[in-house]
Amino acid sequence: MPGTSNDPAIPKSPVNSGWSRRNFLKGVGAAAIAADTILQRVEKSAAADTVDPAAVDTPISGSIPITLNVNGRPRQVTVEPRTTLVSALRDRLDPAVTGPKVGCNMGTCGACTVILNGKPVYGCSILAIDAVGKQISTVEGFGTPENMSPVQAAMVEKDGMMCGFCTSGFVTSITALLRTNPNPTLDQVKAGCKGNFCRCGSYPHLFEAALTAAKNGGGRTGT
Ligand code: FES
Ligand code: FES
């Protein structure tokens, strides 16, 4: 079940991960300058993992080309400043990365979960430009139908899905958990999945799959 926004187990929004939409919009509203100059500043800021005040206070207008590192591959994509990461992955990339789903599109359901620099985040609650220079992992990067990751295989074995809409989000959150805690308790699994909803109520199967995956190698595979 979902916890509070302060719960460390819940994927982070830009608000509690260091960036804020308010600060970004402040920049968008200022006087216009060349987009490529802005992008350089944003990329520099992202690479340093710090917020460059110049990038925040300077406007970005129109669509801009950026490079996202998705599942170990650099991917060129053109986005608007307001484009969320999950929208960039699903709607802008060609070929698209559709593992992360859009359920609520407001940071509550977890269907859009991706791993960003090792931490699960809501892809609908972070801007694509904030992901520049960071490692983005989606469910596509964990395994293939022919060579599934331990979490993916356990999800099938334990019948962890009904409609399946939440599944990639759970697989991603569980994979992120097992990469930092290879042998979690049931309570730790529940905490690791607090940011994910399953409207079909498959929680017992999902948690059992997580514990089975831990026994079978956990989150060590994939990008
Ligand atoms: S679609 Fe992102 S949390 Fe629901
Ligand atoms: S299996 Fe349907 S929402 Fe989880």
Side-chain angles (χ1 to χ4, degrees):
M1 297 296 291
T4 67
S5 60
N6 291 326
D7 193 317
I10 296 180
K12 303 298 184 190
S13 73
V15 172
N16 53 18
S17 65
W19 268 90
S20 80
R21 188 175 292 266
R22 179 185 296 276
N23 283 343
F24 171 71
L25 291 175
K26 237 175 79 183
V28 173
I33 69 171
D36 58 344
T37 303
I38 304 302
L39 181 61
Q40 287 172 10
R41 292 180 182 176
V42 172
E43 287 181 327
K44 182 180 171 190
S45 173
D49 205 23
T50 60
V51 176
D52 177 359
V56 174
D57 292 333
T58 316
I60 301 174
S61 60
S63 295
I64 52 174
I66 61 173
T67 301
L68 297 175
N69 191 318
V70 184
N71 296 324
R73 287 181 51 208
R75 300 288 308 273
Q76 315 292 326
V77 63
T78 299
V79 299
E80 295 176 62
R82 64 178 179 170
T83 304
T84 62
L85 177 57
V86 70
S87 177
L89 294 171
R90 294 181 55 86
D91 307 326
R92 305 296 179 100
L93 277 180
D94 184 18
V97 176
T98 57
K101 310 299 183 202
V102 178
C104 64
N105 208 21
M106 55 186 292
T108 58
C109 75
C112 61
T113 303
V114 303
I115 299 176
L116 192 68
N117 276 1
K119 294 182 181 172
V121 300
Y122 289 148
C124 72
S125 301
I126 184 168
L127 297 175
I129 61 169
D130 287 342
V132 172
K134 299 178 180 174
Q135 303 295 320
I136 304 160
S137 299
T138 72
V139 70
E140 287 94 340
F142 303 155
T144 64
E146 298 75 28
N147 184 24
M148 289 187 282
S149 73
V151 178
Q152 291 168 326
M155 204 62 75
V156 174
E157 179 187 336
K158 298 300 176 184
D159 201 14
M161 74 287 290
M162 291 180 74
C163 78
F165 197 81
C166 71
T167 308
S168 67
F170 271 95
V171 167
T172 304
S173 290
I174 292 167
T175 298
L177 169 69
L178 297 185
R179 285 178 177 176
T180 55
N181 181 2
N183 296 297
T185 63
L186 176 58
D187 283 345
Q188 289 170 331
V189 167
K190 290 179 179 178
C193 295
K194 271 187 176 175
N196 295 78
F197 268 122
C198 175
R199 288 166 290 189
C200 298
S202 298
Y203 294 104
H205 293 252
L206 290 161
F207 298 152
E208 196 180 348
L211 295 173
T212 298
K215 287 181 196 148
N216 294 337
R220 286 202 294 272
T221 59
T223 54

